[in-house]
Amino acid sequence: MTDGDFGLLSPVSASPAVAALTGDHAVIAAILDVEASWAAVLEEAGLVPAGSAAAVAEAADAGSYDAASVAERAQGGGNPVIPLLGDLRARVKSLDAGAVTAVHTSLTSQDVLDSALMLLASRTISALLDNVKRTTTALATLAGEHADTLCVSRSLTQHALPYTFGLRAAQWFQGVAAAAARLESLQLPVQFGGAGGTLASGTKLTAGSASTPFDLADSLASRLGLAPAPAPWHTNRLAVTALGDGLAALLDSFGKIAADLLFLSRPEVGEVGEPLAAGRGVSSAMPQKQNPVLSVLIRSAALQAPGLASQLHLAAATFNDERPDGAWHSEWPALRQLLALALGAAGHLSELTESLRVFPDAMRRNLEISGPLLLSEGVTAAVAPLLGEEGKQKLQAVVDETLKAPTGEQSRIYIKLLRETVPAAKLSDAELEALLDPASYLGEAQEIGRRILASYPQFTGTSSKGTARG
């Protein structure tokens, strides 16, 4: 088969790095790794002939298998494990006929595929977190460098209060770091239940030996770098939905950043710019355009994630009997697509944040559009007591009258009306000027940013602390 899916309609994840970890060949490699590890477990327990593990490991070279053929033949049994096993057994037999007994003994297809997908996820998440930590390190740097860079906060699309770009970057950092920490802490369990989830064949296999089926399952988990499972989870899909939720939450945090950057990079706002690169952001019709394509791709991934996570929950809720008729099968593409989207988006976001162009002058320009009106909350708190019982109403009347004027005139009119309303004897010109300085009304912005970064030292790039998974 010469045709295939190269990601033409999913550019956010169309990369060799993503395909290498989440593509069909990666799935085959994970399945074969489970089978080879199982053979090693059985040989170590003395349950198959010596040398079996080596033969299975040699036969389990993923590059020797035709993914297109396996996929086509998978329609016969409903999953890719069955045709792949046939190919694996044939290869093992050609190397050592006695070792064939080590292939898939006491396992069922779901044991292998569930374990393989957990293994695939573990490998993908490892690469994903590498990119995430590049992003959080870049965001922590931006938060520090721009702790005093004034900008305007926006509430329901409107100018709200003075803000800092450093705090905005710190809040982006918090979303990504919190989601990444959650994902990093997930337990990705091995699956071993046998044909009906009772370990009946495993019990028969281990009869008379020093091992139990649970010992074999724990050994398999150890070899694969997965978490041991206290019991089979064939129809209890929390491991899958938790993984999907973790990936979706991470993509949520990516989407928040992308949405902000898409607005902030608009020409009429102009507070940030994506990194420049030859051929990036071009238009097929308008040569002057510089499209924020990295943010667009990241946002496209974030918009797809909730539906994919929802599919995993829908499947989990309809896992009927001891192996379901379709719900299990519907998990596979949803989970893999979530992994691919998260990995692809993480790569784009790390590049975007590491080379983000920041324009403080534009931030100040936009801040001054609303000018002293942004300080009306603070002015009211400080000045109303000077004006007696009706102080708040008088100051609200100043704001209301100011808002009737064109935007370009509002700052001048607000200051004029304030001066007329508040006698100089109660508030000097210098005191009024200080009240209307946006830098004077930032609250605890710097401390909030500091506390955020201090909460996730492993993601700031200043600590080597990490968290093991499994």
Side-chain angles (χ1 to χ4, degrees):
M1 182 180 293
T2 57
D3 202 4
D5 184 355
F6 301 104
L8 286 177
L9 300 183
S10 186
V12 66
S13 56
S15 93
V18 175
L21 287 166
T22 65
D24 283 345
H25 289 289
V27 174
I28 286 177
I31 292 172
L32 292 171
D33 285 345
V34 172
E35 291 288 355
S37 295
W38 181 245
V41 167
L42 296 182
E43 182 174 326
E44 184 178 53
L47 299 173
V48 295
S52 296
V56 176
E58 183 178 348
D61 175 13
S64 302
Y65 294 81
D66 183 346
S69 171
V70 172
E72 185 174 5
R73 288 180 287 138
Q75 297 176 69
N79 74 71
V81 176
I82 295 171
L84 191 56
L85 276 176
D87 296 346
L88 176 62
R89 286 191 173 108
R91 290 181 180 275
V92 171
K93 185 176 181 180
S94 70
L95 296 169
D96 181 352
V100 173
T101 59
V103 177
H104 203 68
T105 297
S106 294
L107 297 176
T108 192
S109 293
Q110 189 172 359
D111 293 335
V112 176
L113 193 51
D114 279 353
S115 296
L117 290 177
M118 291 294 107
L119 182 57
L120 183 88
S122 178
R123 291 167 173 170
T124 303
I125 290 171
S126 180
L128 170 61
L129 290 174
D130 285 344
N131 274 319
V132 165
K133 288 175 181 177
R134 285 176 53 194
T135 292
T136 53
T137 297
L139 291 174
T141 299
L142 287 170
E145 290 178 348
H146 293 281
D148 297 317
T149 300
L150 288 173
C151 64
V152 64
S153 67
R154 297 172 176 90
S155 172
L156 302 180
T157 76
Q158 303 301 296
H159 284 194
L161 293 175
Y163 206 66
T164 69
F165 186 68
L167 181 54
R168 182 167 288 145
Q171 291 288 7
W172 291 338
F173 169 94
Q174 179 173 228
V176 176
R182 173 183 173 188
L183 188 63
E184 195 172 38
S185 69
L186 285 179
Q187 298 288 299
L188 304 179
V190 76
Q191 178 73 280
F192 178 41
T198 63
L199 293 171
S201 61
T203 301
K204 184 175 181 180
L205 175 68
T206 57
S209 76
S211 300
T212 69
F214 302 105
D215 296 329
L216 301 183
D218 290 348
S219 294
L220 179 61
S222 178
R223 286 182 175 274
L224 294 173
L226 298 177
W233 48 278
H234 284 168
T235 55
N236 300 307
R237 309 307 288 177
L238 182 59
V240 176
T241 56
L243 174 56
D245 290 345
L247 292 165
L250 185 63
L251 282 164
D252 290 345
S253 71
F254 292 179
K256 159 61 179 170
I257 297 173
D260 281 351
L261 293 178
L262 285 166
F263 170 77
L264 295 174
S265 64
R266 288 173 179 261
E268 61 271 25
V269 181
E271 296 184 8
V272 300
E274 290 198 351
L276 300 175
R280 177 183 291 157
V282 297
S283 165
S284 66
M286 293 168 280
Q288 85 283 2
K289 287 188 71 182
Q290 185 64 46
N291 295 319
V293 68
L294 293 177
S295 297
V296 168
L297 293 178
I298 293 163
R299 188 164 186 259
S300 77
L303 292 174
Q304 294 175 70
L308 295 167
S310 176
Q311 175 59 51
L312 297 179
H313 282 282
L314 178 61
T318 55
F319 253 65
N320 57 304
D321 303 325
E322 280 60 60
R323 182 161 299 113
D325 46 8
W328 178 48
H329 306 71
S330 72
E331 282 181 348
W332 313 335
L335 179 58
R336 184 167 69 163
Q337 183 68 356
L338 269 173
L339 288 165
L341 288 172
L343 183 58
H348 294 306
L349 186 59
S350 62
E351 179 186 357
L352 174 54
T353 52
E354 286 176 338
S355 301
L356 184 70
R357 295 178 295 144
V358 180
F359 306 124
D361 289 347
M363 293 178 187
R364 187 73 192 212
R365 180 198 68 216
N366 292 332
L367 179 72
E368 291 174 354
I369 291 173
S370 294
L373 274 174
L374 294 174
L375 285 301
S376 61
E377 179 188 64
V379 168
T380 298
V383 177
L386 305 178
L387 301 178
E389 292 183 0
E390 297 183 358
K392 286 187 177 181
Q393 292 90 327
K394 291 178 179 179
L395 292 171
Q396 184 61 53
V398 168
V399 172
D400 292 343
E401 187 64 25
T402 299
L403 292 176
K404 296 176 183 178
T407 300
E409 294 292 312
Q410 288 177 358
S411 293
R412 180 185 63 79
I413 292 174
Y414 181 62
I415 295 172
K416 175 179 178 291
L417 293 177
L418 267 182
R419 188 68 288 175
E420 292 173 355
T421 303
V422 186
K426 293 185 177 182
L427 187 73
S428 69
D429 288 345
E431 289 171 328
L432 178 59
E433 183 178 355
L435 272 178
L436 297 180
D437 178 3
S440 72
Y441 202 65
L442 293 172
E444 299 290 343
Q446 285 206 10
E447 177 60 12
I448 292 169
R450 188 201 66 77
R451 289 168 69 91
I452 287 172
L453 298 183
S455 297
Y456 301 96
Q458 71 273 36
F459 289 103
T460 61
T462 60
S463 169
S464 60
K465 178 181 177 183
T467 304
R469 204 177 56 256

